[in-house]
Amino acid sequence: MFLVKGYEATGIAEILREAGVNSGSLYYFFKTKEDLLLAVLDWYTAHLRPEVIDPVFARVNDPIERVFGVLESYRTMLTMTDCRMGCPIGNLAIEMSEQSESVRRKILLNFENWRHVVRQCLVDAGGRLPKDIDRDDLSTLVLTVMEGAVMQARAHRSLKPYDASVALLRDYVLRLEAAARASYSNVTPSN
Amino acid sequence: MFLVKGYEATGIAEILREAGVNSGSLYYFFKTKEDLLLAVLDWYTAHLRPEVIDPVFARVNDPIERVFGVLESYRTMLTMTDCRMGCPIGNLAIEMSEQSESVRRKILLNFENWRHVVRQCLVDAGGRLPKDIDRDDLSTLVLTVMEGAVMQARAHRSLKPYDASVALLRDYVLRLEAAARASYSNVTPSN
DNA sequence: GTCTATAACTCGATAGAC
DNA sequence: GTCTATCGAGTTATAGAC
């Protein structure tokens, strides 16, 4: 609920009702509402690889296609929720970054975790991308596009902004690959 | 305060204190808290051009540079607020899109307003961009990159993700311009 | 049109029985 | 470890004097 509706908009009473427990039980495990959020963010960090990344990597082998496979899985999330939920972390990133320092740090960790996966794919792509394109920066752009596109899709209640953004990101990557091929053939004359 | 801290996190009492008025005055003009937010969003729509766009357009003439000039002004906002505030609409877009339909519509209007400015620049760029690149889609990508980059800059409390994202967007646009030049010389042989 | 006072309610959190 | 009952503060919004 924090991830979907946001922190402030989610009341403890609502959480208790949904969980079918009483406040005593919740406060036995979590000292405060913020403590509960921190635990949710830890859970989400642990959940990214087994639930989101691994299924994509199991069916896609090409490192660059894997990146777009991950983006595809966020598209699926938008589809299934009628564009009401995209990346759950992005919501909280904006709402909580200046309200709580410890929450901000955990959100950062989630972003870095995500970006690490993408960066590894880009590194695995090796010479298919121009060597003067920083892989870390490119992984930042991929996260940027995902988050910005999800935001617009939610505001529009439509996949169109998401699809348009990802399609142009793909166009960019294709042009990067073409440039890498061209510069490769400069160094090593073909046949 | 809605734009900086979010809707739920901003209390009426806080607004009254900051404004130096009493609740009776506020509720004389605005029926509810949501009504006040809707008025703020209207105000923001009206202020985009005179306060954000016009100053940039006054000092930059090149249509493509104008787009990056606008992005530069969001960078300035991040700098001045120590990366605590970027695009004020993005915050609300995520927080309020599913809480209130009328708020969502006004946020959409703000996005469309912004995107319209960028799209016009891209249309003005004419043949400098490949003709098979949809200008509307590209304006979506520009907004996507701005919002996603601002989100990460806030989470990191650093300009680095913003700068990296915008630099790669510029690299993409440069490659698009190069491609347009190349295809132009195919049609109209040079000299 | 602005004030003070407060209604009506929800919030996060606690106490203590079981 | 979970329950019920409730505290105290904070919330949005209203009433009525001026």
Side-chain angles (χ1 to χ4, degrees):
Chain A
M1 292 164 78
F2 286 154
L3 298 172
V4 178
K5 305 187 20 169
Y7 179 75
E8 298 283 354
T10 303
I12 296 280
E14 220 176 337
I15 295 171
L16 297 174
R17 198 184 326 118
E18 204 74 16
V21 297
N22 297 93
S23 70
S25 302
L26 190 149
Y27 282 100
Y28 176 79
F29 292 103
F30 305 99
K31 244 176 45 180
T32 63
K33 186 185 178 186
E34 185 177 325
D35 248 46
L36 177 59
L37 172 61
L38 291 171
V40 169
L41 287 172
D42 280 337
W43 170 85
Y44 202 76
T45 303
H47 165 278
L48 177 70
R49 262 172 190 281
E51 308 285 326
V52 181
I53 304 300
D54 289 348
V56 173
F57 282 22
R59 60 180 166 78
V60 185
N61 271 309
D62 182 90
I64 289 179
E65 290 309 310
R66 279 181 165 181
V67 172
F68 287 96
V70 171
L71 294 180
E72 174 74 25
S73 74
Y74 281 83
R75 186 187 195 275
T76 304
M77 207 185 311
L78 283 169
T79 313
M80 292 192 313
T81 60
D82 197 25
C83 293
R84 272 162 230 269
M85 182 179 163
C87 171
I89 298 297
N91 312 6
L92 289 170
I94 284 188
E95 182 184 0
M96 300 298 291
S97 276
E98 60 196 312
Q99 313 270 1
S100 158
E101 183 61 18
S102 42
V103 171
R104 186 182 71 83
R105 271 197 297 269
K106 281 210 192 297
I107 284 165
L108 199 49
L109 223 105
N110 270 281
F111 276 163
E112 290 304 277
N113 195 19
W114 198 93
R115 227 157 50 71
H116 176 78
V117 172
V118 172
R119 184 173 54 240
Q120 191 55 53
C121 290
L122 299 174
V123 168
D124 291 346
R128 282 171 62 191
L129 296 170
K131 62 179 193 310
D132 62 324
I133 295 286
D134 187 284
R135 270 63 173 163
D136 192 63
D137 288 351
L138 193 51
S139 75
T140 299
L141 180 70
V142 174
L143 178 53
T144 287
V145 169
M146 190 274 273
E147 293 292 357
V150 163
M151 184 192 292
Q152 278 182 86
R154 291 180 64 164
H156 277 80
R157 283 275 160 73
S158 156
L159 286 168
K160 199 186 170 224
Y162 189 84
D163 288 339
S165 299
V166 172
L168 286 172
L169 178 65
R170 183 179 274 278
D171 180 60
Y172 177 43
V173 171
L174 284 173
R175 287 175 199 273
L176 288 180
E177 291 190 85
R181 278 196 302 276
S183 99
Y184 175 77
S185 67
N186 280 349
V187 178
T188 313
S190 53
N191 310 22
Chain B
M1 293 164 76
F2 286 156
L3 298 173
V4 177
K5 306 189 16 167
Y7 179 75
E8 298 283 354
T10 303
I12 297 280
E14 220 176 337
I15 296 171
L16 297 174
R17 198 183 328 119
E18 203 74 17
V21 296
N22 298 94
S23 70
S25 304
L26 191 151
Y27 283 101
Y28 176 79
F29 292 104
F30 305 100
K31 246 177 42 181
T32 63
K33 185 185 177 184
E34 184 177 326
D35 247 47
L36 177 59
L37 173 61
L38 292 170
V40 168
L41 287 171
D42 280 338
W43 171 87
Y44 203 77
T45 303
H47 278 62
L48 177 70
R49 263 173 190 279
E51 309 284 328
V52 181
I53 304 301
D54 289 348
V56 173
F57 282 22
R59 60 180 166 79
V60 185
N61 271 309
D62 182 90
I64 288 179
E65 290 310 309
R66 280 181 164 180
V67 172
F68 287 96
V70 171
L71 294 181
E72 174 74 25
S73 73
Y74 282 83
R75 185 186 195 276
T76 303
M77 206 185 313
L78 284 169
T79 313
M80 292 192 312
T81 61
D82 197 24
C83 294
R84 273 162 229 272
M85 183 180 161
C87 171
I89 298 298
N91 311 4
L92 289 170
I94 284 186
E95 181 184 359
M96 299 299 292
S97 275
E98 60 196 310
Q99 313 270 3
S100 159
E101 184 61 18
S102 42
V103 170
R104 187 182 73 82
R105 270 197 297 269
K106 282 212 192 293
I107 284 165
L108 200 49
L109 226 105
N110 270 280
F111 277 162
E112 290 304 277
N113 195 19
W114 198 94
R115 228 158 50 72
H116 175 77
V117 172
V118 172
R119 183 172 55 241
Q120 190 56 54
C121 289
L122 300 174
V123 168
D124 292 345
R128 284 171 59 192
L129 296 170
K131 61 180 194 312
D132 61 326
I133 294 287
D134 188 285
R135 269 62 174 162
D136 192 64
D137 287 352
L138 193 52
S139 76
T140 298
L141 180 70
V142 174
L143 179 53
T144 287
V145 169
M146 189 274 274
E147 293 292 357
V150 163
M151 184 192 292
Q152 279 181 85
R154 291 181 65 163
H156 278 81
R157 284 277 160 74
S158 155
L159 286 167
K160 199 185 170 225
Y162 190 84
D163 288 338
S165 299
V166 172
L168 286 172
L169 178 65
R170 184 179 273 280
D171 180 61
Y172 178 44
V173 171
L174 284 173
R175 286 174 199 273
L176 288 179
E177 290 190 86
R181 278 195 304 275
S183 100
Y184 174 78
S185 67
N186 280 351
V187 179
T188 313
S190 53
N191 308 22

